[in-house]
Amino acid sequence: NAGVTQTPKFRVLKTGQSMTLLCAQDMNHEYMYWYRQDPGMGLRLIHYSVGEGTTAKGEVPDGYNVSRLKKQNFLLGLESAAPSQTSVYFCASSPSGAISPLHFGNGTRLTVT
Amino acid sequence: AQSVTQLGSHVSVSEGALVLLRCNYSSSVPPYLFWYVQYPNQGLQLLLKYTSAATLVKGINGFEAEFKKSETSFHLTKPSAHMSDAAEYFCAVSYSGGYQKVTFGIGTKLQVIP
């Protein structure tokens, strides 16, 4: 049982390049989330999805896009990377509702030079 | 609006000493509260959660937390620290609504001194 799997684990981009982060979960969860973690700022929600085919903006969505074409996958895209997007990105999933805890992947460390 | 305040971004305790990590929340409706732990180079793992049942919640690895509505607090404790407890701990709050919006505190790094 893999849980939540994120690929890649590490990536270095030059300013202006694009990339896609992949998140896959095998728990049949409805809700999926993308967070970024920066020192001293905790986790901030970028985008989330409440089911296949749906996406919504979180608190820091600018510069990112997402897609949820299949229930088990949630993709995070950076169209034109900026140094301010250097961060550790975490994907999480939950069955449904506010009462459910989040299940996290192990993160992707992205550096933009 | 909901928010979480974790007092102390770094806490050091001696091995065998009491661990106390503080969390205060702000929510206009009854909250659900969580503590997560993050070990180096890993994602967050659930330690325990409060969902309006018992106010004293027991979690994994000997941790527990008490929900105190009058103090709007949900402090995390462990009677005796182990070296393996060294990690970063996050308090989080959510509430029942149209979707699950979870707000995290900034985290507290726990150092355990031998």
PDB file of all heavy atoms in Angstrom, chain B residues 78-94:
ATOM      1  N   LYS B  78       3.933  15.022  26.175  1.00  0.00           N
ATOM      2  CA  LYS B  78       4.430  13.658  26.325  1.00  0.00           C
ATOM      3  C   LYS B  78       5.218  13.637  27.614  1.00  0.00           C
ATOM      4  O   LYS B  78       6.060  14.507  27.841  1.00  0.00           O
ATOM      5  CB  LYS B  78       5.303  13.249  25.139  1.00  0.00           C
ATOM      6  CG  LYS B  78       5.808  11.819  25.232  1.00  0.00           C
ATOM      7  CD  LYS B  78       6.549  11.392  23.980  1.00  0.00           C
ATOM      8  CE  LYS B  78       7.023   9.949  24.116  1.00  0.00           C
ATOM      9  NZ  LYS B  78       7.711   9.463  22.892  1.00  0.00           N
ATOM     10  N   PRO B  79       4.958  12.673  28.505  1.00  0.00           N
ATOM     11  CA  PRO B  79       5.581  12.699  29.837  1.00  0.00           C
ATOM     12  C   PRO B  79       7.102  12.605  29.806  1.00  0.00           C
ATOM     13  O   PRO B  79       7.786  13.237  30.610  1.00  0.00           O
ATOM     14  CB  PRO B  79       4.969  11.480  30.526  1.00  0.00           C
ATOM     15  CG  PRO B  79       3.724  11.169  29.773  1.00  0.00           C
ATOM     16  CD  PRO B  79       3.994  11.569  28.360  1.00  0.00           C
ATOM     17  N   SER B  80       7.641  11.829  28.872  1.00  0.00           N
ATOM     18  CA  SER B  80       9.074  11.558  28.882  1.00  0.00           C
ATOM     19  C   SER B  80       9.603  11.538  27.449  1.00  0.00           C
ATOM     20  O   SER B  80       9.244  10.669  26.658  1.00  0.00           O
ATOM     21  CB  SER B  80       9.335  10.206  29.554  1.00  0.00           C
ATOM     22  OG  SER B  80      10.706   9.865  29.504  1.00  0.00           O
ATOM     23  N   ALA B  81      10.462  12.505  27.131  1.00  0.00           N
ATOM     24  CA  ALA B  81      10.961  12.636  25.760  1.00  0.00           C
ATOM     25  C   ALA B  81      11.979  11.557  25.420  1.00  0.00           C
ATOM     26  O   ALA B  81      12.839  11.204  26.240  1.00  0.00           O
ATOM     27  CB  ALA B  81      11.594  14.016  25.567  1.00  0.00           C
ATOM     28  N   HIS B  82      11.901  11.046  24.202  1.00  0.00           N
ATOM     29  CA  HIS B  82      12.891  10.121  23.665  1.00  0.00           C
ATOM     30  C   HIS B  82      13.649  10.819  22.555  1.00  0.00           C
ATOM     31  O   HIS B  82      13.145  11.758  21.930  1.00  0.00           O
ATOM     32  CB  HIS B  82      12.214   8.878  23.106  1.00  0.00           C
ATOM     33  CG  HIS B  82      11.516   8.058  24.145  1.00  0.00           C
ATOM     34  ND1 HIS B  82      10.570   7.107  23.827  1.00  0.00           N
ATOM     35  CD2 HIS B  82      11.618   8.050  25.489  1.00  0.00           C
ATOM     36  CE1 HIS B  82      10.112   6.558  24.931  1.00  0.00           C
ATOM     37  NE2 HIS B  82      10.734   7.118  25.953  1.00  0.00           N
ATOM     38  N   MET B  83      14.839  10.347  22.297  1.00  0.00           N
ATOM     39  CA  MET B  83      15.645  10.928  21.211  1.00  0.00           C
ATOM     40  C   MET B  83      14.887  10.874  19.888  1.00  0.00           C
ATOM     41  O   MET B  83      14.986  11.772  19.062  1.00  0.00           O
ATOM     42  CB  MET B  83      16.981  10.202  21.080  1.00  0.00           C
ATOM     43  CG  MET B  83      17.900  10.346  22.287  1.00  0.00           C
ATOM     44  SD  MET B  83      18.338  12.048  22.619  1.00  0.00           S
ATOM     45  CE  MET B  83      19.272  12.454  21.147  1.00  0.00           C
ATOM     46  N   SER B  84      14.122   9.808  19.712  1.00  0.00           N
ATOM     47  CA  SER B  84      13.386   9.629  18.456  1.00  0.00           C
ATOM     48  C   SER B  84      12.246  10.626  18.278  1.00  0.00           C
ATOM     49  O   SER B  84      11.635  10.696  17.201  1.00  0.00           O
ATOM     50  CB  SER B  84      12.823   8.214  18.379  1.00  0.00           C
ATOM     51  OG  SER B  84      11.938   7.984  19.462  1.00  0.00           O
ATOM     52  N   ASP B  85      11.940  11.428  19.317  1.00  0.00           N
ATOM     53  CA  ASP B  85      10.871  12.433  19.204  1.00  0.00           C
ATOM     54  C   ASP B  85      11.347  13.707  18.514  1.00  0.00           C
ATOM     55  O   ASP B  85      10.527  14.591  18.223  1.00  0.00           O
ATOM     56  CB  ASP B  85      10.333  12.790  20.592  1.00  0.00           C
ATOM     57  CG  ASP B  85       9.617  11.624  21.259  1.00  0.00           C
ATOM     58  OD1 ASP B  85       9.010  10.804  20.537  1.00  0.00           O
ATOM     59  OD2 ASP B  85       9.691  11.526  22.502  1.00  0.00           O
ATOM     60  N   ALA B  86      12.637  13.821  18.290  1.00  0.00           N
ATOM     61  CA  ALA B  86      13.160  15.011  17.621  1.00  0.00           C
ATOM     62  C   ALA B  86      12.578  15.100  16.215  1.00  0.00           C
ATOM     63  O   ALA B  86      12.774  14.205  15.381  1.00  0.00           O
ATOM     64  CB  ALA B  86      14.686  14.944  17.553  1.00  0.00           C
ATOM     65  N   ALA B  87      11.835  16.165  15.965  1.00  0.00           N
ATOM     66  CA  ALA B  87      11.119  16.334  14.702  1.00  0.00           C
ATOM     67  C   ALA B  87      10.467  17.712  14.726  1.00  0.00           C
ATOM     68  O   ALA B  87      10.610  18.472  15.682  1.00  0.00           O
ATOM     69  CB  ALA B  87      10.047  15.250  14.534  1.00  0.00           C
ATOM     70  N   GLU B  88       9.715  18.019  13.685  1.00  0.00           N
ATOM     71  CA  GLU B  88       8.928  19.253  13.667  1.00  0.00           C
ATOM     72  C   GLU B  88       7.460  18.887  13.825  1.00  0.00           C
ATOM     73  O   GLU B  88       6.980  17.935  13.200  1.00  0.00           O
ATOM     74  CB  GLU B  88       9.145  20.038  12.373  1.00  0.00           C
ATOM     75  CG  GLU B  88       8.564  21.439  12.413  1.00  0.00           C
ATOM     76  CD  GLU B  88       9.167  22.378  11.375  1.00  0.00           C
ATOM     77  OE1 GLU B  88       9.787  21.901  10.426  1.00  0.00           O
ATOM     78  OE2 GLU B  88       8.980  23.611  11.533  1.00  0.00           O
ATOM     79  N   TYR B  89       6.765  19.651  14.643  1.00  0.00           N
ATOM     80  CA  TYR B  89       5.384  19.353  14.979  1.00  0.00           C
ATOM     81  C   TYR B  89       4.488  20.510  14.529  1.00  0.00           C
ATOM     82  O   TYR B  89       4.793  21.678  14.768  1.00  0.00           O
ATOM     83  CB  TYR B  89       5.242  19.124  16.489  1.00  0.00           C
ATOM     84  CG  TYR B  89       5.964  17.884  16.951  1.00  0.00           C
ATOM     85  CD1 TYR B  89       7.339  17.880  17.164  1.00  0.00           C
ATOM     86  CD2 TYR B  89       5.279  16.690  17.142  1.00  0.00           C
ATOM     87  CE1 TYR B  89       8.014  16.739  17.553  1.00  0.00           C
ATOM     88  CE2 TYR B  89       5.938  15.534  17.547  1.00  0.00           C
ATOM     89  CZ  TYR B  89       7.301  15.574  17.746  1.00  0.00           C
ATOM     90  OH  TYR B  89       7.956  14.430  18.136  1.00  0.00           O
ATOM     91  N   PHE B  90       3.389  20.150  13.887  1.00  0.00           N
ATOM     92  CA  PHE B  90       2.459  21.140  13.360  1.00  0.00           C
ATOM     93  C   PHE B  90       1.075  20.937  13.964  1.00  0.00           C
ATOM     94  O   PHE B  90       0.549  19.825  13.972  1.00  0.00           O
ATOM     95  CB  PHE B  90       2.340  21.015  11.835  1.00  0.00           C
ATOM     96  CG  PHE B  90       3.583  21.404  11.089  1.00  0.00           C
ATOM     97  CD1 PHE B  90       4.559  20.465  10.809  1.00  0.00           C
ATOM     98  CD2 PHE B  90       3.764  22.705  10.665  1.00  0.00           C
ATOM     99  CE1 PHE B  90       5.712  20.820  10.117  1.00  0.00           C
ATOM    100  CE2 PHE B  90       4.908  23.075   9.963  1.00  0.00           C
ATOM    101  CZ  PHE B  90       5.877  22.125   9.702  1.00  0.00           C
ATOM    102  N   CYS B  91       0.512  22.017  14.429  1.00  0.00           N
ATOM    103  CA  CYS B  91      -0.877  22.037  14.861  1.00  0.00           C
ATOM    104  C   CYS B  91      -1.720  22.520  13.684  1.00  0.00           C
ATOM    105  O   CYS B  91      -1.276  23.380  12.908  1.00  0.00           O
ATOM    106  CB  CYS B  91      -1.026  22.992  16.046  1.00  0.00           C
ATOM    107  SG  CYS B  91      -2.666  23.073  16.768  1.00  0.00           S
ATOM    108  N   ALA B  92      -2.915  21.979  13.529  1.00  0.00           N
ATOM    109  CA  ALA B  92      -3.773  22.354  12.406  1.00  0.00           C
ATOM    110  C   ALA B  92      -5.224  22.391  12.860  1.00  0.00           C
ATOM    111  O   ALA B  92      -5.631  21.634  13.749  1.00  0.00           O
ATOM    112  CB  ALA B  92      -3.607  21.379  11.240  1.00  0.00           C
ATOM    113  N   VAL B  93      -5.999  23.256  12.221  1.00  0.00           N
ATOM    114  CA  VAL B  93      -7.423  23.394  12.538  1.00  0.00           C
ATOM    115  C   VAL B  93      -8.246  23.343  11.268  1.00  0.00           C
ATOM    116  O   VAL B  93      -7.822  23.829  10.217  1.00  0.00           O
ATOM    117  CB  VAL B  93      -7.686  24.718  13.309  1.00  0.00           C
ATOM    118  CG1 VAL B  93      -7.305  25.919  12.458  1.00  0.00           C
ATOM    119  CG2 VAL B  93      -9.128  24.814  13.762  1.00  0.00           C
ATOM    120  N   SER B  94      -9.387  22.720  11.369  1.00  0.00           N
ATOM    121  CA  SER B  94     -10.346  22.762  10.265  1.00  0.00           C
ATOM    122  C   SER B  94     -11.743  22.829  10.875  1.00  0.00           C
ATOM    123  O   SER B  94     -11.894  22.717  12.085  1.00  0.00           O
ATOM    124  CB  SER B  94     -10.210  21.542   9.354  1.00  0.00           C
ATOM    125  OG  SER B  94     -10.618  20.371  10.027  1.00  0.00           O
TER     126      SER B  94
END
